[in-house]
Amino acid sequence: MLLPLIASAVALQPLASSFNLVPYPASVSPRSESFELNANTVIVTSRDSLKVGQWLQHDLGGSTGYTLPLVVRAGSNRIEFVIDKRLTRLGSEGYTLSTGANGVEIRATQAAGLFYGAQTLKQLLPAAAYRLAPSRPSTRWVVPGVQIEDVPRFGWRGAMLDPCRHFIPKESVLRFIDALAMHKMNRLHFHLSDDQGWRIEIKAYPKLTTVGAWRTETVVGHNSGKYDGVPHGGYYTQDDIREIVAYAQSRFITVVPEIDMPGHMVAAITSYPELGDGKEHMVMREWGVSHSVLNLSDATLNFTKTVLDEICSLFPSEIIHIGGDECPRDQWNADQVEQARMKSRGVNEVSAYQSWFTAEMGKHLASKGRRLIGWDEILEGGDLPANAAVMSWRGTSGGIHGAKLGHDIVMAPTSHCYLDFYQVDPKTHKEPDAIGGLTPLDKVYGFEPVPAELSADEAKHILGTQGNLWSEYILNYKHVEYMAFPRLCALSEVAWSPKSVRDWNGFSRRLPTNLDRLTAMNVNFRPLDPAP
Ligand code: TNX
């Protein structure tokens, strides 16, 4: 009679021991020895792992109320970070984590892997570890016995914020970075300019923020023709940007800035009318695609290059986003001066003119050791510099086409990655107004970034994926969180976990605990609907 009981206990193991980790690691095996984290625990670091140790010390300091000392050696009761260059199978971001009675050991070839190991360690603790202030003094937490080996599937695991349509204060951007870091995401795509507002201080062009960062009011709803009468604006100073970049960097997140050109430039053209058709404009109060775009005079090219110079000086990211989406060509068609200029540059058709411009920006960025990325429109008209990367948003076809041409690709199709779309049907649920569409959690979870159309070699060009939080209808940061989570929890698993461990049912079982973590962090996620 004993045997069936044991058998059923063993069968239950995988369920009970998933530890509710999100994103789920490549391999997790329970071990018998657990470990107690308490006020006497120390963090063992070396020179290479000091920064990660300091991060953990600071982070747990908030939730435990005590400061775990950083030491170079300890026998027991320790969290030990070890850089181990021999573990090449872990790549640059993978890690191993093992719990024993004496403590937890995290190994990786580089600090980034140690950081992801530390994130997993935090998820092994109770959700209270995510609180910003201690729930009670002298916390003692059990770290369950486990052996984990984990390597991310993709190197680009991102999310895009759009502070242009509705401004997001710096402090909120920092909170968002923490929420990304806990999901082992490593790219924050920061959309910093658009028709409705310019959001970054550029020293060479002060009017971009004295004029371009402000609109008089905003249209109500979906371009209803009614306006709210409330001025809206804001921008990040260069000091703010440096703070955001450093905060992200210490969490192994690269901030990828986007200056959207040559379309979506009305805020800049309002500030400096000579960049456009020469007429007076207003920072846009409505949503949609404007037909007012940059002219491509030498002076305008000097403007875009100078802006990119300042961008490069602030953002260490190798990849710089120059937008390139939704640029109508009628202004270039109608202007005789532009036509003559275009022909003098050896371009015969306006359909190839944006591509010429993109190549110019590509050369400029290359001269500074950077690479450009743009929305999939930059593939139109040929001429795209070979090392340019492409963000596929109008489905995956741009990404497939680009990968076949040898370009690196980030997959962010509207169908699965547009987190400004509804997450449930607004006809059956009371939801805040959204742009439209329907991208439920299970659909995001089911996204496969590598299209079947690609050969194994072509598939190597798929860098990864990201969720886009366009903010026409996302009015403030709490609303950003509502749209982002839990869908970014799902996307983090798409981006991180090996395809073989991805499992919707397993994710659904683990997710409530992950949402407890977000609750502890005060993140305003959309609650799950009760099971039918
Ligand atoms: C299209 S995605 C845009 C954005 C909008 C978004 C709304 C892309 C490259 N351009 O300007 O905000 O749709 O979903």
Side-chain angles (χ1 to χ4, degrees):
M1 273 320 280
L2 208 58
L3 214 59
L5 265 178
I6 292 174
S8 72
V10 170
L12 277 176
Q13 276 269 318
L15 219 168
S17 63
S18 76
F19 305 113
N20 300 321
L21 301 170
V22 177
Y24 204 64
S27 133
V28 179
S29 352
R31 296 182 69 187
S32 54
E33 289 176 359
S34 58
F35 156 71
E36 185 188 271
L37 182 130
N38 55 39
N40 297 320
T41 304
V42 298
I43 300 174
V44 181
T45 61
S46 60
R47 197 161 41 103
D48 296 341
S49 58
L50 183 63
K51 284 224 164 71
V52 177
Q54 284 169 335
W55 173 83
L56 186 69
Q57 178 187 52
H58 175 78
D59 191 81
L60 287 180
S63 52
T64 61
Y66 45 70
T67 305
L68 305 179
L70 295 169
V71 301
V72 291
R73 199 173 294 118
S76 61
N77 198 357
R78 63 178 198 263
I79 296 166
E80 180 159 7
F81 290 107
V82 182
I83 293 280
D84 185 344
K85 300 276 183 209
R86 293 165 312 173
L87 299 175
T88 51
R89 64 178 191 280
L90 298 177
S92 57
E93 295 185 302
Y95 66 94
T96 62
L97 180 153
S98 51
T99 329
N102 286 331
V104 176
E105 187 183 85
I106 296 169
R107 289 184 175 260
T109 65
Q110 292 184 31
L114 297 179
F115 181 74
Y116 297 126
Q119 289 296 341
T120 296
L121 168 64
K122 222 182 135 184
Q123 291 199 359
L124 291 169
L125 300 172
Y130 288 83
R131 293 175 66 125
L132 305 174
S135 24
R136 62 192 167 90
S138 57
T139 309
R140 303 155 78 104
W141 284 328
V142 172
V143 182
V146 70
Q147 170 74 41
I148 292 173
E149 177 155 336
D150 202 7
V151 180
R153 179 173 176 205
F154 294 106
W156 188 294
R157 307 178 298 276
M160 189 212 74
L161 286 183
D162 168 18
C164 298
R165 274 57 178 269
H166 286 99
F167 186 61
I168 305 170
K170 177 189 72 184
E171 287 69 24
S172 302
V173 176
L174 303 183
R175 297 291 75 74
F176 189 70
I177 288 170
D178 281 327
L180 291 182
M182 83 178 262
H183 292 96
K184 302 184 173 70
M185 300 188 95
N186 66 355
R187 292 288 185 286
L188 172 62
H189 171 180
F190 212 9
H191 181 80
L192 288 167
S193 70
D194 215 309
D195 300 317
Q196 295 82 6
W198 185 282
R199 299 288 176 239
I200 179 170
E201 176 189 18
I202 299 293
K203 303 269 189 204
Y205 296 98
K207 284 200 247 169
L208 289 172
T209 43
T210 55
V211 175
W214 310 96
R215 58 179 185 258
T216 52
E217 55 186 351
T218 304
V219 73
V220 173
H222 296 245
N223 288 350
S224 63
K226 295 197 190 74
Y227 293 84
D228 66 4
V230 183
H232 184 89
Y235 65 93
Y236 309 104
T237 65
Q238 296 204 349
D239 281 342
D240 291 338
I241 293 290
R242 276 186 277 269
E243 186 180 339
I244 290 169
V245 166
Y247 193 88
Q249 217 164 24
S250 62
R251 287 150 183 81
F252 297 87
I253 291 174
T254 303
V255 183
V256 179
E258 177 185 355
I259 300 296
D260 202 347
M261 57 182 86
H264 283 287
M265 267 285 179
V266 173
I269 294 168
T270 305
S271 316
Y272 297 97
E274 62 272 26
L275 298 171
D277 58 7
K279 300 194 188 103
E280 293 288 317
H281 289 269
M282 269 173 95
V283 177
M284 270 176 75
R285 304 169 301 159
E286 314 71 16
W287 317 122
V289 177
S290 171
H291 289 252
S292 295
V293 302
L294 291 181
N295 66 51
L296 300 188
S297 70
D298 288 341
T300 301
L301 263 60
N302 188 47
F303 165 82
T304 54
K305 289 178 187 171
T306 305
V307 168
L308 289 175
D309 290 346
E310 291 198 30
I311 291 290
C312 289
S313 74
L314 292 164
F315 296 90
S317 172
E318 189 209 355
I319 291 197
I320 303 289
H321 207 307
I322 63 153
D325 58 314
E326 301 177 324
C327 181
R329 293 156 188 154
D330 25 344
Q331 182 185 308
W332 298 339
N333 257 326
D335 179 358
Q336 291 313 307
V337 178
E338 191 72 70
Q339 286 288 314
R341 198 154 49 213
M342 181 178 90
K343 302 234 163 75
S344 76
R345 287 163 168 165
V347 181
N348 293 318
E349 294 293 334
V350 281
S351 61
Y353 204 21
Q354 181 179 342
S355 156
W356 173 86
F357 169 77
T358 306
E360 287 296 303
M361 293 307 111
K363 273 181 250 167
H364 186 68
L365 287 171
S367 75
K368 308 172 77 75
R370 310 297 180 99
R371 283 171 74 187
L372 79 80
I373 190 168
W375 300 107
D376 57 45
E377 283 92 334
I378 66 170
L379 283 162
E380 292 165 11
D383 247 8
L384 188 59
N387 74 347
V390 177
M391 209 166 252
S392 193
W393 73 279
R394 298 173 299 177
T396 52
S397 57
I400 294 169
H401 177 57
K404 285 186 185 290
L405 292 173
H407 296 290
D408 285 344
I409 304 294
V410 175
M411 283 295 192
T414 51
S415 56
H416 295 77
C417 297
Y418 272 47
L419 306 184
D420 56 337
F421 288 12
Y422 283 106
Q423 40 199 329
V424 289
D425 188 342
K427 292 201 279 296
T428 52
H429 292 75
K430 203 169 166 290
E431 286 293 296
D433 189 29
I435 194 165
L438 181 62
T439 313
L441 182 63
D442 58 341
K443 183 160 191 201
V444 176
Y445 192 82
F447 180 48
E448 174 43 50
V450 179
E453 289 90 334
L454 297 183
S455 71
D457 263 351
E458 291 161 352
K460 290 186 189 136
H461 288 296
I462 307 297
L463 300 179
T465 184
Q466 67 178 39
N468 291 340
L469 290 150
W470 296 108
S471 292
E472 290 94 332
Y473 302 91
I474 302 183
L475 308 182
N476 53 55
Y477 181 63
K478 282 290 146 196
H479 195 173
V480 170
E481 293 182 329
Y482 182 88
M483 299 305 275
F485 299 102
R487 289 185 292 187
L488 275 183
C489 310
L491 198 68
S492 78
E493 201 150 305
V494 172
W496 178 281
S497 304
K499 210 175 162 181
S500 56
V501 311
R502 248 168 70 196
D503 154 33
W504 167 249
N505 291 328
F507 175 73
S508 308
R509 272 195 302 271
R510 287 178 277 116
L511 184 57
T513 305
N514 201 54
L515 297 181
D516 290 345
R517 297 175 188 128
L518 293 175
T519 301
M521 291 165 79
N522 221 355
V523 172
N524 180 42
F525 60 88
R526 183 185 186 280
L528 300 175
D529 295 311

